[in-house]
Amino acid sequence: YPIIIQRGALHRANTHFDLQRKVLVVTDSGVPAAYAKAVADRCSEPVVVTLPQGEGSKTIRNFEALCRTMLENGFTRADCVVAVGGGMVGDLAGFAAASFMRGIDFYNIPTTVLSQVDSSIGGKVAIDMDGIKNCVGAFYQPKAVLIDPDVLKTLPARQMANGLAEVAKMAVTFDEDLLALLEAGHPMDRIEEIILAALKIKAAVVAADEKESGLRRVLNFGHTI
Ligand code: GLY
């Protein structure tokens, strides 16, 4: 599926996604509301759901709420879900898209460095249950992923570091040149190059082992810590 990396693309989502239908736009309270609005403004029939920020929202209750919202608004298999946020939003919205009517189109607009370089591609969608992360979910690939580096301007420094740590992990495991690029300093000045390099690693691993029967486990290196 296409992965578009383009500054300002958030405001042109309709040129990359088919939004001329009912669209469930899922976001969270930590994401500037203007981002989901920019997407909703380009949909013919948007329904925006804003969840509380944080992993605590990745619950069966919120999964049910998203499915119910789609039912109440008459969504059919021809409609779609767009995630605008970090990994939590993508995982939950993606799982709702994977399950509603046995699967409707899912688009992802990741808004953190971490979700731009990791969770937005590869098709892992899930919720947490009984304190166990991602224990109910699916492999469900998005129709397309839109990465707009401009949205990182509002990201707190801690979240920036969190994402770059994931890039460092990918560089250490796969790409000496990417590691040198990080070590040169000022990574945010070259963030598009960094995102692209990290995504190439992720895409190659997922293409080789989509369902994590072996190689893909390397992507989890460091996650438990
Ligand atoms: N985030 C690890 C993976 O996608 O496999």
Side-chain angles (χ1 to χ4, degrees), residues 118 124 202 212 216 219-220 223:
D118 183 26
K124 282 185 177 176
K202 172 105 194 208
E212 199 169 300
R216 187 164 176 172
L219 295 175
N220 296 329
H223 284 193

Side-chain angles (χ1 to χ4, degrees), residues 33-223:
Y35 295 174
K37 186 176 183 309
V39 175
D41 285 350
R42 280 151 191 89
C43 303
S44 58
E45 293 174 79
V47 178
V48 179
V49 173
T50 305
L51 300 159
Q53 180 179 22
E55 185 72 16
S57 277
K58 240 171 77 176
T59 59
I60 190 105
R61 200 177 288 256
N62 282 335
F63 166 77
E64 191 182 348
L66 293 185
C67 293
R68 181 160 295 120
T69 300
M70 288 193 274
L71 275 180
E72 286 172 355
N73 286 279
F75 276 56
T76 70
R77 194 171 286 152
D79 298 314
C80 69
V81 175
V82 181
V84 181
M88 182 282 285
V89 169
D91 281 9
L92 178 63
F95 187 46
S99 310
F100 188 76
M101 304 284 167
R102 297 198 180 94
I104 63 173
D105 287 353
F106 173 53
Y107 299 110
N108 203 341
I109 306 182
T111 58
T112 62
V113 176
L114 185 58
S115 59
Q116 291 188 349
V117 299
D118 183 26
S119 64
S120 64
I121 70 158
K124 282 185 177 176
V125 294
I127 54 171
D128 306 334
M129 219 169 104
D130 291 349
I132 301 167
K133 193 167 157 66
N134 298 330
C135 67
V136 177
F139 287 96
Y140 191 70
Q141 302 295 340
K143 290 290 280 184
V145 178
L146 195 63
I147 295 174
D148 179 354
D150 278 352
V151 302
L152 301 177
K153 286 177 187 158
T154 54
L155 196 66
R158 183 179 170 84
Q159 287 304 322
M160 212 75 95
N162 186 27
L164 288 170
E166 183 68 18
V167 177
K169 184 285 293 288
M170 285 171 157
V172 168
T173 46
F174 278 101
D175 187 341
E176 216 174 318
D177 293 340
L178 178 56
L179 186 60
L181 205 159
L182 291 176
E183 284 178 335
H186 307 291
M188 293 317 290
D189 293 347
R190 298 176 72 178
I191 195 67
E192 280 158 282
E193 214 179 318
I194 288 171
I195 292 169
L196 183 62
L199 284 177
K200 280 184 178 163
I201 295 169
K202 172 105 194 208
V205 172
V206 171
D209 178 22
E210 183 188 359
K211 301 277 172 72
E212 199 169 300
S213 52
L215 176 69
R216 187 164 176 172
R217 282 200 296 259
V218 299
L219 295 175
N220 296 329
F221 172 49
H223 284 193

